[in-house]
Amino acid sequence: MTRQNVLISGASQGLGAELARLFAARGYGLALSGRDKDRLDSIAAELRKHTDVLAITADLRERAQGYHLVESALAHFGHLDMLINNASTLGGSPMPQLLSLDDQVFRQVLEVNLVAPLALIKGIVPSMQRRGSGTVVNITSDAAVQAYAGWGAYGSSKAALEHLSRILSEELADTGVRVRLVDPGNMNTQMHADAEPGVDLSTLPHPRSVAPKIIGFLERSSEPFARYEVNLGAAV
């Protein structure tokens, strides 16, 4: 049986790293990207004990780095069965309200959370279409559907990513390429700590307890499109 391969962006820490650990345990080949080279190299070294890992430091706001990531992953593995667009940014900490939001910061948030995922999709999905199978997973948030003061840049980018995902699924109908939106819910992560400085996050779940639920959903879900909320434990 041909080994399956997955590309995960934002894999140097948090949810991305925990998903990578679980996919490695399942024998997937891993293409991992992140901006923190030391963290990424550490994760890669850990997981190479279990599977083939390609780790590429990349700032996905730089389109050339995104192209290099895709080209390198496809050249290394030959094919990718899954793309997980996990990398995200908040746009400052503490996060400003919309009337105080700097235009350049807003553009940077959109570049990372919306434009970069589409660039990776455009680079990888054609090869999935040729093989007649593949899965695109876009990590979203309840901030995409709920209005939270101060979360304007992040929430807007995730709302746009959600609609992009639905349109993508329509355009990929009958190709064998599936699209998934996954809302992991609130977690005890550095990103959440940056979003709400000083707030006690100790009662929130750690990504290592959330990742298995996401993997379980991805393994049992067969619909062309689905949106999964971890907190609800069901696709919606």
Side-chain angles (χ1 to χ4, degrees):
M1 182 177 179
T2 303
R3 182 186 60 197
Q4 293 192 304
N5 306 300
V6 56
L7 188 155
I8 306 174
S9 68
S12 60
Q13 61 183 328
L15 181 62
E18 297 303 331
L19 289 171
R21 290 186 172 102
L22 292 179
F23 276 114
R26 285 160 168 75
Y28 277 67
L30 300 176
L32 307 178
S33 78
R35 287 188 291 176
D36 189 319
K37 185 180 188 306
D38 290 341
R39 286 180 181 272
L40 188 66
D41 287 348
S42 177
I43 291 292
E46 170 193 339
L47 299 185
R48 286 195 180 103
K49 301 172 186 176
H50 308 286
T51 191
D52 186 10
V53 180
L54 175 69
I56 296 181
T57 306
D59 183 342
L60 296 179
R61 292 175 299 180
E62 300 295 331
R63 201 63 61 241
Q65 295 186 34
Y67 294 150
H68 174 67
L69 170 62
V70 169
E71 291 171 357
S72 298
L74 289 174
H76 184 88
F77 292 107
H79 73 277
L80 293 168
D81 300 275
M82 187 178 296
L83 163 65
I84 301 182
N85 278 311
N86 172 69
S88 294
T89 187
L90 294 168
S93 174
M95 297 186 296
Q97 295 195 349
L98 286 172
L99 293 182
S100 302
L101 179 61
D102 181 80
D103 289 350
Q104 185 59 35
V105 170
F106 188 36
R107 291 188 184 94
Q108 291 173 353
V109 173
L110 293 175
E111 281 287 337
V112 175
N113 297 358
L114 179 64
V115 179
L118 179 57
L120 296 185
I121 289 168
K122 290 166 67 177
I124 293 170
V125 166
S127 65
M128 292 179 172
Q129 289 177 291
R130 288 191 292 271
R131 298 179 70 242
S133 66
T135 305
V136 174
V137 182
N138 291 327
I139 302 299
T140 185
S141 166
D142 63 337
V145 294
Q146 299 291 334
Y148 300 126
W151 289 74
Y154 181 82
S156 297
S157 69
K158 290 298 185 179
L161 182 66
E162 291 217 2
H163 201 55
L164 180 151
S165 301
R166 291 183 170 86
I167 293 171
L168 179 66
S169 180
E170 290 293 320
E171 294 178 348
L172 294 177
D174 303 321
T175 67
V177 181
R178 300 173 295 180
V179 179
R180 302 284 178 263
L181 279 166
V182 174
D183 175 4
N186 290 330
M187 296 181 291
N188 186 353
T189 62
Q190 184 59 53
M191 184 174 180
H192 197 152
D194 291 341
E196 300 182 293
V199 174
D200 181 12
L201 305 179
S202 61
T203 60
L204 296 180
H206 189 276
R208 77 172 58 94
S209 68
V210 173
K213 298 176 183 178
I214 295 174
I215 296 287
F217 161 70
L218 294 176
E219 290 181 336
R220 67 177 179 268
S221 174
S222 60
E223 302 89 346
F225 174 83
R227 186 184 191 278
Y228 178 67
E229 292 189 17
V230 171
N231 287 344
L232 294 180
V236 294

